[in-house]
Amino acid sequence: MNAPRIGVLALQGDTREHLAALREAGAEAYTVRRRSELDSADGLVIPGGESTAMTHLLRSFELLEPLRSRLAEGMPAYGSCAGMILLASEILDAGVAGREALPLAGIDMTVRRNAFGRQVDSFEEQVEFTGVDSPVHAVFIRAPWVERVGDDVEVLARAGEHIVAVRQGKSLATSFHPEMTGDRRVHKLFVEGISARR
């Protein structure tokens, strides 16, 4: 079976690290900045960055509505940190009106932006993660958390009482950055989920 073609949204954020993680997890990974690149993807990674800036760039590159459409049609997506925020169906503390982060509705969840605090409040923690065989070293940077999940959304990990990783169908989201640690198990879960349904 051919490796799934997984795009990494390359408008802002840690694109290179996600490309490396996806390739090590068995995907054919490439950057997405144009509609044609989005259209040819079997799945998409939305990296960390700044969710309001990413929303602005999605509009500027005329990708906001095409991406919403692909997600509505069932394209699998994985979002880390800001990517989790954008994949939500509802965003709390979305930003200043006119410059706010806009939900793409890829996963039925409510996410609170910057819930763990500012950059100075960043931290690292071992978290139990459903689907992998040992705890994941999680790096939280101005991280969100999930306040509500829909009935068909599976909670994969928590930091304390807060939900920090979820899965709905073929899509995943984490409030932390597994691409920064060298641990490829979260990316492998995403890639294998796409491969199993092709």
Side-chain angles (χ1 to χ4, degrees):
M1 181 183 290
N2 293 335
R5 279 177 51 81
I6 300 179
V8 178
L9 189 65
L11 305 181
Q12 190 204 37
D14 43 1
T15 304
R16 182 174 49 194
E17 292 86 348
H18 279 291
L19 289 169
L22 288 167
R23 288 169 182 149
E24 289 176 35
E28 178 189 338
Y30 66 101
T31 57
V32 170
R33 290 187 190 90
R34 297 179 181 87
R35 172 75 181 266
S36 60
E37 294 162 342
L38 175 64
D39 289 345
S40 66
D42 296 318
L44 183 73
V45 169
I46 305 175
E50 210 292 311
S51 54
T52 57
M54 290 172 78
T55 296
H56 173 72
L57 290 166
L58 282 167
R59 279 180 166 145
S60 296
F61 281 76
E62 298 181 350
L63 286 173
L64 186 63
E65 293 310 322
L67 179 48
R68 277 192 177 134
S69 295
R70 287 290 325 264
L71 292 169
E73 292 162 5
M75 179 185 68
Y78 165 50
S80 66
C81 198
M84 169 187 259
I85 294 166
L86 293 178
L87 279 179
S89 52
E90 180 184 17
I91 302 169
L92 303 178
D93 299 326
V96 179
R99 293 181 54 83
E100 70 271 33
L102 296 177
L104 297 169
I107 295 176
D108 182 11
M109 62 180 172
T110 301
V111 173
R112 185 174 296 280
R113 277 178 80 236
N114 302 331
F116 284 107
R118 297 177 300 164
Q119 192 89 10
V120 69
D121 301 309
S122 300
F123 66 101
E124 300 180 24
E125 183 177 310
Q126 297 292 113
V127 297
E128 298 288 338
F129 197 104
T130 300
V132 301
D133 54 1
S134 60
V136 170
H137 184 76
V139 178
F140 295 88
I141 302 170
R142 293 178 63 205
W145 67 49
V146 178
E147 295 211 348
R148 179 203 61 85
V149 295
D151 292 341
D152 58 348
V153 176
E154 179 185 8
V155 174
L156 299 178
R158 295 176 185 266
E161 63 187 35
H162 301 296
I163 299 168
V164 296
V166 298
R167 173 170 51 200
Q168 182 176 18
K170 302 173 254 185
S171 291
L172 284 172
T174 61
S175 63
F176 54 88
H177 293 268
E179 75 282 358
M180 296 176 67
T181 66
D183 184 342
R184 305 311 191 205
R185 292 176 296 170
V186 173
H187 288 80
K188 197 168 167 87
L189 265 184
F190 181 55
V191 172
E192 289 176 348
I194 294 173
S195 298
R197 293 167 170 85
R198 292 175 73 215

